[in-house]
């Protein structure tokens, strides 16, 4: 039986920034849709009721504002790490404050979306936005992750000199 053909490591490395960008764009869009539903009544409204949240109501209105603004920034790849960090924290708060008291597991307490968004955005904090991000236009930032542990660093001063 023939084994399936997989792309070479070189091909997957070249595609990685673009796949990460697609991941970021889709996730940001989905997150922004949650905020738009709650703030403007779009897509079925807040919690599928067709309505909107009362302006300034703590914490739901603020969470929806973070969802809308954070989702749009993440989708565009603008201030990606900061927006992802704030969005991740917002979803962690939602999970532990709203859902966790209902049951132990996200499947039991209805917190799957909050848990997944929290972890997805935390991942984007560390990976950066990938390709096709507006962050790349600001100061030439690439959005690449930090160098891997064990990677050789280039010395900044000649050997034997004080730093």
């Amino acid at each position: 039986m023939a084994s399936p053909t997989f792309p070479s490591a070189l091909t997957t490395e070249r595609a990685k920034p673009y796949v990460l960008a697609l991941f970021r764009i889709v996730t940001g869009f989905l997150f922004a849709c949650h905020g738009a539903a709650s703030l403007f009544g779009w897509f079925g409204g807040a919690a599928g009721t067709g309505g909107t949240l009362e302006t300034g109501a703590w914490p739901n209105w603020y969470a929806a504002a973070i969802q809308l603004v954070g989702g749009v920034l993440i989708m565009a790849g603008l201030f990606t790490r900061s927006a992802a960090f704030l969005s991740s924290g917002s979803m962690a708060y939602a999970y532990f404050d709203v859902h966790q008291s209902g049951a132990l597991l996200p499947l039991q307490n209805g917190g799957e979306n909050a848990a997944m968004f929290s972890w997805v955005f935390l991942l984007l904090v560390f990976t950066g936005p990938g390709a096709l991000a507006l962050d790349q236009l600001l100061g030439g930032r690439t959005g690449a992750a930090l160098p891997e542990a064990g990677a050789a660093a280039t010395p900044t001063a000649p050997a034997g000199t004080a730093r």
Side-chain angles (χ1 to χ4, degrees):
M1 181 173 164
S3 64
T5 305
F6 292 104
S8 71
L10 183 58
T11 303
T12 56
E13 282 301 313
R14 286 185 190 152
K16 193 181 292 186
Y18 298 99
V19 173
L20 180 59
L22 184 60
F23 175 77
R24 170 185 47 82
I25 291 165
V26 170
T27 304
F29 174 73
L30 294 173
F31 200 56
C33 285
H34 277 278
S38 296
L39 293 174
F40 308 121
W42 299 348
F43 315 117
T49 64
T52 61
L53 297 173
E54 181 182 338
T55 303
W58 177 260
N60 297 340
W61 187 87
Y62 294 94
I66 290 171
Q67 289 169 357
L68 180 62
V69 174
V72 168
L73 289 173
I74 290 166
M75 186 171 43
L78 185 62
F79 308 115
T80 306
R81 292 177 194 262
S82 299
F85 183 76
L86 180 63
S87 298
S88 176
S90 171
M91 289 295 96
Y93 175 84
Y95 180 78
F96 288 110
D97 188 60
V98 176
H99 299 283
Q100 183 64 48
S101 62
L104 177 63
L105 299 176
L107 186 60
Q108 297 170 317
N109 64 30
E112 299 99 335
N113 284 343
M116 286 297 295
F117 276 127
S118 181
W119 285 105
V120 162
F121 293 135
L122 186 62
L123 177 66
L124 286 175
V125 169
F126 288 93
T127 63
L132 310 172
L134 293 179
D135 279 343
Q136 295 170 344
L137 300 176
L138 301 175
R141 299 186 316 184
T142 62
L146 296 174
E148 293 182 26
T154 55
T156 55
T161 61
R163 292 185 187 205

